Amino acid sequence: PESRAPRSGSAFYLPLIWTALLPPEASEGPSCFDQSVQQLNSLGDEKHFKWARRASLLDVWQAQVYWRQIFSGWDDWVTRLRVAMAAFESPDGCGIEGVVKCHVQRVSVTAGALVYGDLEILGALPHISNARKSPDQDAILELDLALRLEIEASVATLFLPPVAPVANAPT
């Protein structure tokens, strides 16, 4: 990532949320991920994406290599978030389909890069709402609060200032 921290965690949260919402790379046929794929392909208009290309399912799969290099726990995080989504229950629906129905219907601000800081390489993702009136991104992340805290701590460590060498320390 860049040397400066992002203004919000969305730069890291959105790729994780969308990865967990979408089918794993080797999946085939109809699944609980169909509505998620539909939202990836339709949520947000031209104004939301501005000049950025909308990321495809293939782009999300290709981005996994990048995210695994940034966060050693990436695959575990995706699995944990998928498990939390699968356990989701609401009057409007259950599981991943319920999460989509309840929390993947509105966008805020502009689309977010699939790869941190680079809208061109693999495109942009619909920016799931995190507005005060519609904190859907937070609601999804808080399906597993321990996971959210772990991610926040990991993101914070990426942007710690360098530690000055200790005088007379062995090298």
Side-chain angles (χ1 to χ4, degrees):
E2 298 172 358
S3 59
R4 62 179 171 74
R7 289 179 296 185
S8 78
S10 293
F12 302 99
Y13 301 148
L14 286 172
L16 177 65
I17 290 170
W18 279 107
T19 298
L21 281 169
L22 296 167
E25 198 165 340
S27 59
E28 297 177 11
S31 71
C32 65
F33 300 104
D34 291 347
Q35 290 178 357
S36 303
V37 173
Q38 182 178 358
Q39 288 300 79
L40 175 69
N41 294 328
S42 64
L43 190 62
D45 57 13
E46 276 186 38
K47 184 178 175 185
H48 181 70
F49 282 88
K50 290 188 176 179
W51 64 88
R53 177 182 65 80
R54 180 187 296 270
S56 68
L57 178 58
L58 180 60
D59 293 325
V60 173
W61 289 343
Q62 290 175 337
Q64 300 313 296
V65 172
Y66 170 80
W67 289 110
R68 287 176 188 128
Q69 291 175 355
I70 303 300
F71 298 112
S72 61
W74 184 262
D75 289 331
D76 180 56
W77 293 350
V78 170
T79 299
R80 288 167 56 191
L81 191 52
R82 271 195 191 123
V83 167
M85 289 177 181
F88 177 79
E89 294 183 20
S90 91
D92 294 326
C94 298
I96 290 176
E97 292 171 337
V99 171
V100 171
K101 199 169 193 179
C102 293
H103 298 297
V104 188
Q105 300 297 319
R106 293 169 292 280
V107 293
S108 59
V109 295
T110 56
L114 176 55
V115 169
Y116 180 68
D118 191 338
L119 285 167
E120 293 179 20
I121 191 167
L122 290 174
L125 297 165
H127 193 289
I128 298 167
S129 178
N130 211 29
R132 265 188 220 129
K133 292 182 181 178
S134 183
D136 296 310
Q137 200 179 129
D138 283 341
I140 293 169
L141 291 167
E142 289 171 8
L143 292 173
D144 183 334
L145 186 56
L147 172 61
R148 181 182 185 150
L149 297 175
E150 187 176 323
I151 295 164
E152 287 181 6
S154 295
V155 169
T157 62
L158 288 175
F159 299 100
L160 287 174
V163 177
V166 177
N168 299 325
T171 55

